[in-house]
Structures are given as C-alpha cells and as structure tokens.
Amino acid sequence: SLVWAILLLVLLIYLFAIMFTSAVSSYLIEQGTALGEPGLRDFEDPLQRYWATLPRSMFTLYKAVTGGVSWDDVVHPLSDIGVFSVILFIAYISFAQLAVLNVLTGVFCQNAIDSAQHDQELVTQAILSNKEVYVKRIQKIFREIDVDCSGGITIQEFKDHLNDHKVQAMFESLELDPTDVWTLFKLMDDEQDHVLELDKFIAGCLRLRGTAKGLDVAKLSYEHAWMAKRLSKFMKRTEALLDSLVSNSPDIFFQCEQDKENM
C-alpha cells in the first residue's frame, strides 16, 4: 500500500507538471515571438525557473507540497498566464495535501502499528522460550533432589540437597535464595502435605522467582488491611464482653456471699 500511495503521488505530480509546462511553454513562446527575444533560458524569470521544463515543473510541484518552496513564490508567476493556471495549481495543492499526503500518513501509521504488534509478538515468543528453558532447568533440579525417584520431594531430601553447592548454584541461577530451606519449602508446599511433586515444585519456583512483583505487594497489602480490620472488630467485641463482665461482677459477688451464709 505504501508503494501504491507513492506511485499515486508521482503520477499526480507528473500529470499536473505536463499541464503547467505546456501552458508556460506556449506562453513563453508567444511572448518571445511577440518581443522578438529568444531569451527563454533566463533563470532570473520565476516563470522559467519554476515551470519552463517538465523536470522543473515536477520538482516545483513536489516542493510545493513538502514545504520546500512558498506557494506564493510559485503561483504568482502563473497568474501572468491566466486565472485557469492559478485555479489548477490550487486544485493540485488541495488534492495532494488533503488526499494523497493523508493517505501516505495513514499508511506510515499503519505500518508503525503493525511493526509494534510484531515486536509484541516477538517479545511474547521470547518470554515463552525463556520460560521453557527455565522449566527444563527446574526439572533438572527436581531430578537431582529426588534421588529415590518417588516423584516427590520431602523436606529432608530438600534440606540434604540444598547443602550441596551444585544444587545451590542451580537455585541461584533461577533467582531463588536457597539459604532458608524451611521457608522455601513451606512457600512451595501450598497444600501442606509435606511433599513436593514435580508440578508443585515447578509452579513454586516460577512463583517465587526473582524479587517481589507489584501484584505480590498489592496482595500482601490487601491481606494486611483485611487482617487489621478483623482484628479491630475482635478487639471491640472483646472489650464489650469485658465491660459487661465488669459491670455485672458486683451482683455476682453479692449472690455468692448470700449462698455462703445460707450454707
């Protein structure tokens, strides 16, 4: 579409340049014949400088729509030929600016959008590729720890192998801190059955990889606010119950004294 839009602009410039060059050439020949002067190559004349030949006319029309020359400098010499040439130039400018150049701008914008979408697809593919590599490394660590091939890792196996420098290096390469064994195992063991299967181990490593993300911080903040609200309600209820017990304690003490006297 970009190529076709450029071809349309070139064709438009070419057609209008033919009309302007033909009109200017006829006018110059008439003027030269009438005056008896052959001075058609006088570049001091704006009409000859801008419109005397087809290449000059095409270049002038191109500069007119791209800001390379002022419209007044170009159209003023055409007014000597006639009003029709001026109207024709205005029609060319209007069509080129409002139609052709807007089409070119739209094509460039669409190409930029398509390129950005393509870049997003490449980023997505790179992330998926990195995730596959990451999962394979996690599976390798799992096989290193699961020496009895039971399909699960216990806390003792986890602790024993994290003392191995090779396994520690593997965890560090996955951006996981292996120093606190019990915390790491507990965070991966969501079901709290004290055994980590392969899927649970992979999911835990993927979740705990790297530093805390914005979602993790937001979740922690929400849970903290929810717990503080529950604790505040519990404290208010406890204080109300204690106040009730304190207010009723004299009656209870008096009743106990009467029971002792009756006995």
Side-chain angles (χ1 to χ4, degrees):
S1 57
L2 178 61
V3 175
W4 287 111
I6 294 175
L7 288 177
L8 176 62
L9 179 62
V10 172
L11 180 61
L12 179 69
I13 292 175
Y14 178 73
L15 293 177
F16 275 89
I18 290 176
M19 290 185 285
F20 285 121
T21 303
S22 177
V24 170
S25 298
S26 300
Y27 173 78
L28 290 176
I29 290 174
E30 291 177 0
Q31 291 296 107
T33 303
L35 296 174
E37 297 177 359
L40 298 181
R41 295 184 181 275
D42 186 6
F43 288 96
E44 296 297 328
D45 184 6
L47 196 61
Q48 297 185 43
R49 184 166 65 250
Y50 292 125
W51 306 105
T53 62
L54 182 61
R56 293 183 197 174
S57 298
M58 292 182 66
F59 187 50
T60 300
L61 292 175
Y62 176 75
K63 291 190 293 183
V65 295
T66 56
V69 66
S70 174
W71 294 359
D72 182 68
D73 295 339
V74 173
V75 76
H76 183 71
L78 293 177
S79 61
D80 296 337
I81 301 177
V83 180
F84 178 75
S85 298
V86 176
I87 295 175
L88 189 64
F89 181 81
I90 294 174
Y92 161 76
I93 291 294
S94 301
F95 184 74
Q97 289 282 0
L98 301 178
V100 179
L101 292 184
N102 283 339
V103 171
L104 286 174
T105 303
V107 171
F108 277 112
C109 291
Q110 187 61 41
N111 288 337
I113 293 172
D114 294 340
S115 178
Q117 291 178 350
H118 183 64
D119 291 341
Q120 291 178 356
E121 293 176 357
L122 292 178
V123 171
T124 303
Q125 292 176 1
I127 292 174
L128 292 176
S129 178
N130 292 335
K131 185 176 180 180
E132 291 179 359
V133 174
Y134 191 82
V135 169
K136 290 180 180 179
R137 291 161 68 182
I138 295 175
Q139 292 173 347
K140 183 178 180 181
I141 295 176
F142 185 86
R143 289 191 295 268
E144 289 282 342
I145 299 176
D146 187 21
V147 290
D148 56 356
C149 299
S150 60
I153 299 175
T154 62
I155 180 62
Q156 189 60 41
E157 290 177 332
F158 197 70
K159 182 178 180 180
D160 293 340
H161 284 81
L162 280 184
N163 294 326
D164 186 0
H165 295 290
K166 180 181 179 182
V167 177
Q168 287 182 2
M170 289 182 178
F171 271 98
E172 291 175 355
S173 67
L174 298 177
E175 300 179 17
L176 291 171
D177 185 11
T179 55
D180 194 346
V181 179
W182 171 246
T183 301
L184 186 59
F185 186 88
K186 183 173 62 175
L187 291 174
M188 291 183 181
D189 188 17
D190 294 335
E191 299 176 1
Q192 297 182 356
D193 53 2
H194 308 295
V195 177
L196 294 177
E197 292 82 7
L198 178 59
D199 294 339
K200 189 188 300 184
F201 185 72
I202 293 174
C205 291
L206 291 175
R207 186 177 67 254
L208 300 174
R209 177 188 182 187
T211 57
K213 301 178 177 63
L215 181 62
D216 299 327
V217 176
K219 182 180 178 182
L220 182 61
S221 177
Y222 172 79
E223 292 178 351
H224 175 73
W226 179 80
M227 184 62 68
K229 186 176 180 181
R230 291 288 302 272
L231 183 60
S232 177
K233 290 182 178 179
F234 175 76
M235 293 177 65
K236 289 180 180 179
R237 291 178 59 187
T238 303
E239 290 176 357
L241 291 174
L242 290 175
D243 291 339
S244 176
L245 290 173
V246 170
S247 61
N248 295 328
S249 59
D251 297 335
I252 296 174
F253 178 76
F254 180 74
Q255 184 67 33
C256 292
E257 291 293 333
Q258 286 183 346
D259 292 340
K260 287 180 180 181
E261 291 178 356
N262 294 329
M263 291 176 64

